[in-house]
Amino acid sequence: MESTRYDELDLRILQALEADGRAPFSRIADVIGVSDQTVARRYRRLVAEGGLRVVGLQDSEVLGYDNWMLRLRCAPEGAETIAAALARRPDTSWIGLTSGGTEIVCGTVPRTPGDHDDLLLGKLPRTPHIVEIRAHLLLHRFFGGPEGWLRKYGPLAEDQVAALRPPPVSAEPVTITPEDAPLLAVLKRDGRAGHPELQRASGRSESAVKRRLSQLLGSGALYIDVEYDTQRLGYDVAAILWITAAPRHLDAVGRALADHQEIAHAAATAGPSNLVATALARDTADLYAYVSGKLGRLEGVEHVETAPYMRRVKQLTYRPPMR
């Protein structure tokens, strides 16, 4: 892109996609006040050059699957290689290097109960250069997943966001079946894939595809995730925060974190710390001000370990084909 920063129109489109990642360009155009062609052209540009990904993801919390975060302390010479190998695994969702490149932080995507056994008990303990493995079970999500961070930051008014959200549908619980696999595989590559493409991949009729997609989205088992480069928003520093809160304050601290503009993800965890959060800041001084100020003043916070990301290994590395 001509600029390293997103401009106002970029932000409006990104926030519109967070409200409904499958919204037609015509509906986005009506709400933000530009032409369909302008939205389509800018969308393609953001995908090709601006780090944008719109993908369909299963919500493990809704489906009742256990999610884990892994902290892998590595010998410096092995961290990059191990992180790259983990990035190729389908059961990892995002990977970052912290602590000066000596620690890998990794999120997992369970597909079957045995997935975690294979990774935690099989592959990782036998991997050279891994010095220590810490596995943190995510107990409760306070913010993140289907909730987009731009609603805390973006330019759209509440009525514009409401106009973009898809109409409510039946929220009956849904079980992911083997027959859903081809549909979900396409959406994981491109959350805006059209019904004809989904029909070809799944072998179902177009009406059956529309009905099943509506069920999956309505139940929350599937959501459309929008990923973008936060550095282009002016947030050049990202850090993972391992927070220890007094048990009686755990829920209140988690809910407070969810309201902080700086927090892109927050969850309660099992392990030495009982909360984990991802904070975004404009620079290191901004991060210090948040940790020592807004976060430090929360009642019940007893300890905070701050680990700035050195590099994101998996998240924005995949570029879907331009549509």
Side-chain angles (χ1 to χ4, degrees), residues 102 137 192 264 269 299:
T102 62
L137 175 65
R192 292 183 60 84
T269 74
E299 184 180 4

Side-chain angles (χ1 to χ4, degrees), residues 15 24 70 79 86 90 103 107 118 133 152 174 178 182 208 222 239 253 259 262 269 281 291 293 314:
Q15 192 178 1
L70 309 180
L86 285 169
E103 183 172 86
D118 175 54
I133 301 172
K152 301 180 179 182
V174 169
L222 174 74
V253 172
D259 288 336
E262 296 84 353
T269 74
V291 172
K314 184 175 185 176

Side-chain angles (χ1 to χ4, degrees), residues 158-197:
E158 289 185 11
D159 61 331
Q160 291 177 303
V161 174
L164 285 160
R165 288 199 181 103
V169 296
S170 173
E172 295 180 1
V174 169
T175 301
I176 301 293
T177 68
E179 288 73 25
D180 293 318
L183 185 75
L184 296 175
V186 173
L187 292 168
K188 190 174 182 179
R189 293 193 301 270
D190 180 5
R192 292 183 60 84
H195 292 122
E197 183 179 352

Side-chain angles (χ1 to χ4, degrees), residues 44 56 103 150 204 208-209 213 225 296 307 322:
R44 295 189 191 93
E103 183 172 86
L150 274 176
R204 301 176 179 180
V209 165
L213 185 57
D225 186 51
M322 188 169 63

